[in-house]
Amino acid sequence: MKRYSESHRLYSELYSRIRHTVKDVVKQINKCTYSIPSESSPKIVYIINTEMSICLYKIGYSRYFCKHQIWIHENLKVQLPNLLFITFIERISFRYIN
């Protein structure tokens, strides 16, 4: 249970850094690719590939989940391969997939 709590805490912390991004500024490029502008520098745009779990943000590029991937997960309900399962339903769903 501790691992779940730590994952949830990290997820919440990262999401709090980007929660003000609105859906209107996020663009779907193709089936698994999205663009999200930086909140601090709107001229900078990050590309997220949900199939490969990559974001052009410095953390997401090394396949760690980043705040941009969490935004996609939270607001568009897209599951990324490298994102920890946060909700009970996701944990149960994953159990049946494997």
Side-chain angles (χ1 to χ4, degrees):
M1 196 58 140
K2 181 174 172 34
R3 181 175 172 196
Y4 173 76
S5 298
E6 183 64 20
S7 299
H8 192 269
R9 184 197 62 74
L10 178 60
Y11 180 98
S12 297
E13 180 184 322
L14 287 173
Y15 184 65
S16 72
R17 297 180 191 171
I18 195 167
R19 70 174 176 255
H20 301 294
T21 298
V22 294
K23 284 186 179 182
D24 294 347
V25 300
V26 176
K27 306 290 182 222
Q28 185 169 5
I29 298 169
N30 62 35
K31 178 183 169 192
C32 61
T33 309
Y34 299 85
S35 67
I36 297 181
S38 168
E39 285 187 320
S40 58
S41 303
K43 291 182 180 181
I44 298 173
V45 176
Y46 297 105
I47 306 298
I48 298 95
N49 182 303
T50 58
E51 198 170 72
M52 295 174 33
S53 292
I54 293 176
C55 175
L56 295 183
Y57 183 62
K58 58 188 172 194
I59 295 170
Y61 193 69
S62 56
R63 293 193 182 239
Y64 291 105
F65 61 93
C66 67
K67 61 186 179 181
H68 306 102
Q69 294 169 326
I70 288 176
W71 191 95
I72 296 287
H73 176 259
E74 186 71 25
N75 294 281
L76 303 180
K77 307 303 181 205
V78 174
Q79 183 65 45
L80 289 87
N82 68 333
L83 190 62
L84 300 172
F85 300 101
I86 301 303
T87 68
F88 179 74
I89 299 300
E90 288 173 336
R91 291 167 62 106
I92 296 299
S93 297
F94 182 72
R95 183 174 168 200
Y96 291 113
I97 291 171
N98 286 328

